Amino acid sequence: LKESMDIIQKVPDVSPEKIIEAIVAPHKGKVVMIDMWNTWCSPCRAAIAENEPFKSGELADDDIIWIYLADESSPLNLYVGLIPDIKGLHYRLSAEQAEAISKRFGIDGIPYYIFVTRDGKIEGRPDLRDHDLFKKTIIEEVNRK
């Protein structure tokens, strides 16, 4: 449990409205894929399982940063049991932080993807629930050097 807890990133101490910018700030110039999910969300877990192999295959690139945002509605014991098998940076948000992100992007359900281009453009991308488009979008942005 302790080792799993150690892989949870410290959530930046900023207002909930600034949380996305604070989380992506250290990754300037990289392609950042943010996955909004929770442990109790079966479609989220299925999407993660489908996307995970891409990270060691077609999407194996140091210029891609994988960020996973779950909130406190995910039971901590289940959350820390699942995240070691998901390659990326893991943040556990407060309900207030998750709500601010939801309002900002008009999130209609999870999984929900937020895509950050190399030049720092942050956009909500529910269309990336389509796994082929997910891969294509990331590859195109990585190749845009």
Side-chain angles (χ1 to χ4, degrees):
L1 182 67
K2 168 96 173 79
E3 289 171 6
S4 295
M5 291 294 290
D6 288 345
I7 66 173
I8 300 172
Q9 303 296 306
K10 182 179 180 337
V11 177
D13 187 17
V14 297
S15 71
E17 295 73 26
K18 301 280 187 202
I19 198 74
I20 293 293
E21 283 77 8
I23 286 172
V24 301
H27 312 293
K28 189 176 173 101
K30 303 274 187 174
V31 177
V32 181
M33 177 55 72
I34 300 172
D35 185 335
M36 300 284 300
W37 76 294
N38 274 302
T39 59
W40 46 260
C41 170
S42 297
C44 297
R45 290 174 62 175
I48 289 170
E50 188 169 337
N51 292 334
E52 198 64 23
F54 301 148
K55 296 176 192 173
S56 56
E58 296 171 79
L59 301 178
D61 194 305
D62 290 339
D63 276 352
I64 305 170
I65 305 299
W66 303 96
I67 296 177
Y68 292 86
L69 304 180
D71 66 35
E72 296 168 334
S73 69
S74 288
L76 185 59
N77 61 340
L78 182 57
Y79 178 72
V80 298
L82 291 174
I83 62 175
D85 295 327
I86 305 169
K87 181 184 174 200
L89 302 173
H90 297 272
Y91 292 85
R92 186 171 161 86
L93 305 177
S94 70
E96 184 182 23
Q97 291 163 331
E99 180 63 24
I101 294 168
S102 183
K103 283 183 181 172
R104 173 179 175 178
F105 293 99
I107 294 177
D108 59 355
I110 55 176
Y112 187 89
Y113 301 99
I114 299 169
F115 188 65
V116 185
T117 61
R118 286 187 182 278
D119 58 5
K121 181 179 175 193
I122 300 171
E123 55 189 358
R125 294 291 304 268
D127 60 324
L128 297 183
R129 292 173 180 145
D130 173 323
H131 295 279
D132 291 331
L133 183 60
F134 180 92
K135 285 190 294 188
K136 179 179 181 276
T137 301
I138 295 171
I139 290 168
E140 285 176 357
E141 187 61 25
V142 166
N143 291 333
R144 214 177 54 96
K145 294 188 177 187

